[in-house]
Amino acid sequence: MRWLAIPLALAVAWLAFTMSPLWSLYDLAQAVRRHDAAYVEGHVNFRTLRLSLVRQITAAMRTASETDPDLEPRDRQRLNDAAYGLALALSETMVTPETVMDLLANGWPDKLDVERPAGAHPEGLAIRGLGRLVSYYTALEMRGFRAVVIPIPPEGSRAERTRIRLRLRGLSWRLVDIEMADVLREQIAAKLSRALARAKIGASAGEER
């Protein structure tokens, strides 16, 4: 039976490794609950997070413009050209310890004044006991040996579920990406598109004068 020792040890080691992100997730959840900005600042890669949010918002705005039948091709192109700049400006306000905690607390960035659709009930990262980690473990997706994607909440619908990516750095896992829920991404894109439309109307009125 000695020949079973090596594969058994490897299996136990792999199980322990795949469970290790959960301890970082638990610590992050407790930091969000305590509103511990110092912990969040030390365990989030804000540079990669900022780039990710810019890509998500830009893609959502372009998708919204392409499916809007009221937009002329010229206006659609202008919207696409301005999308990156608007997404970059918004990401600067979103990527702070306070806003990250705000988003993770209940799945919605209340401080950004983004309207929550009626009937939408996104949930945040709440782990009140170690037993809750079982649901997160069954839902997590390992991406190689150094990255893991975790849906929040694990039982939520795709449209209202936030997905976070943790990456192993040294002996600890750090949050490097937040994939916003579909409903939030669409609301942000709609808000920025309306802002562009108002700016266009104002500019047109100025030209007529």
Side-chain angles (χ1 to χ4, degrees):
M1 298 298 290
R2 291 182 179 179
W3 63 272
L4 285 175
I6 293 178
L8 183 59
L10 290 175
V12 172
W14 176 249
L15 178 63
F17 178 75
T18 58
M19 292 180 65
S20 63
L22 297 180
W23 305 119
S24 295
L25 183 70
Y26 180 80
D27 289 340
L28 179 62
Q30 302 313 304
V32 170
R33 183 181 60 82
R34 298 191 308 267
H35 203 78
D36 188 347
Y39 180 92
V40 172
E41 188 169 7
H43 291 78
V44 175
N45 188 325
F46 289 99
R47 183 181 65 85
T48 59
L49 180 55
R50 183 178 294 107
L51 293 174
S52 173
L53 292 180
V54 169
R55 289 195 297 268
Q56 292 179 62
I57 297 170
T58 300
M61 290 184 66
R62 288 176 176 169
T63 299
S65 68
E66 290 169 0
T67 57
D68 189 345
D70 297 328
L71 281 177
E72 298 292 335
R74 182 176 60 181
D75 295 333
R76 184 174 291 110
Q77 184 59 47
R78 288 177 178 174
L79 178 61
N80 290 338
D81 292 342
Y84 179 82
L86 285 173
L88 183 61
L90 181 60
S91 70
E92 292 292 336
T93 64
M94 290 185 69
V95 184
T96 67
E98 290 75 17
T99 309
V100 168
M101 287 188 293
D102 185 33
L103 174 58
L104 292 179
N106 62 5
W108 201 267
D110 296 317
K111 294 181 180 180
L112 293 184
D113 191 28
V114 178
E115 182 180 358
R116 188 181 309 204
H121 302 288
E123 297 181 37
L125 178 60
I127 305 177
R128 312 214 185 280
L130 295 180
R132 177 62 171 155
L133 291 175
V134 175
S135 299
Y136 281 100
Y137 182 74
T138 58
L140 67 78
E141 304 171 21
M142 295 296 299
R143 301 292 173 86
F145 291 97
R146 297 187 59 195
V148 60
V149 175
I150 304 175
I152 302 173
E155 310 88 354
S157 66
R158 181 65 184 85
E160 296 186 359
R161 190 168 59 182
T162 302
R163 289 162 60 88
I164 65 172
R165 182 188 296 266
L166 303 179
R167 182 174 293 277
L168 185 63
R169 182 178 179 183
L171 297 177
S172 63
W173 295 85
R174 298 183 69 199
L175 191 153
V176 297
D177 189 13
I178 298 177
E179 181 182 333
M180 295 181 292
D182 293 346
V183 63
L184 173 58
R185 191 164 50 243
E186 291 165 3
Q187 285 298 101
I188 289 176
K191 178 179 180 178
L192 293 181
S193 298
R194 289 193 297 269
L196 274 179
R198 289 194 297 269
K200 176 188 172 185
I201 293 173
S204 299
E207 290 175 0
E208 292 177 359
R209 295 194 190 96

